Amino acid sequence: MSNWGKRFQETRLKHEMTQSELAQKIGIDTTALSRYESGRGAKQFPSSLKDKLIGIFSIDEITYIDIGKTASQSIVGNNNNQAGRDQALMDSFRQMQKEDKKVLDDAIINAVVEMMKDFNDDKKIKALQCITEIRLGK
């Protein structure tokens, strides 16, 4: 089983969904879903699958499946100084922009990051979660 496949299965089980239920929700065959989870379907987490999971799993969960840590964790992760955490925050926004295929121009991203520089890490995580929910229409 691939690492991302294990995380994918773990996330599905956390939501108490069977393979059949999730496959139906995202419009793929149960066999394909089983192959993804077992690591036989793709070596890397396919972008097309990420797109289908938006709205079923949170951005944090999708990021966790992909890289092994959530978007929130990447903000405070291994970045030991403020500049590193701010850069990680900006990178997270840009990644969400690519994954959602919605456009946030750099001026907006830079303004939000600049505003959040005064926040502690807990407030940054909460702000990122709120922005993610707004962007997903929740």
Side-chain angles (χ1 to χ4, degrees):
M1 187 181 285
S2 69
N3 287 335
W4 79 265
K6 287 179 193 177
R7 293 187 298 265
F8 184 42
Q9 181 180 47
E10 175 187 323
T11 304
R12 174 182 58 80
L13 292 172
K14 179 179 147 194
H15 283 264
E16 299 179 347
M17 282 191 264
T18 65
Q19 285 184 338
S20 171
E21 290 169 334
L22 181 57
Q24 184 178 15
K25 282 186 177 196
I26 61 176
I28 66 171
D29 187 74
T30 305
T31 305
L33 182 62
S34 175
R35 290 179 148 232
Y36 285 138
E37 288 186 356
S38 69
R40 297 185 321 257
K43 292 189 188 268
Q44 294 182 338
F45 190 24
S47 294
S48 60
L49 185 56
K50 289 178 196 178
D51 293 343
K52 292 176 183 197
L53 291 171
I54 292 174
I56 296 170
F57 296 157
S58 70
I59 292 292
D60 266 357
E61 290 170 322
I62 294 169
T63 304
Y64 169 72
I65 293 167
D66 192 17
I67 64 173
K69 59 184 178 178
T70 66
S72 300
Q73 288 170 329
S74 70
I75 293 171
V76 296
N78 296 326
N79 301 300
N80 295 325
N81 60 39
Q82 187 64 44
R85 288 190 296 273
D86 293 338
Q87 184 60 49
L89 178 64
M90 189 173 294
D91 292 345
S92 292
F93 278 116
R94 287 200 175 101
Q95 185 62 33
M96 285 191 307
Q97 177 182 351
K98 288 177 190 173
E99 289 176 3
D100 288 352
K101 297 190 175 38
K102 294 179 181 175
V103 176
L104 268 184
D105 67 28
D106 283 343
I108 294 172
I109 293 171
N110 291 334
V112 170
V113 170
E114 191 62 36
M115 175 192 71
M116 292 175 69
K117 283 183 179 180
D118 294 331
F119 289 6
N120 65 30
D121 288 336
D122 289 338
K123 284 186 178 180
K124 285 181 182 181
I125 291 169
K126 184 65 177 168
L128 178 62
Q129 290 169 339
C130 289
I131 291 167
T132 300
E133 288 176 5
I134 291 167
R135 294 193 70 229
L136 292 177
K138 292 185 178 181

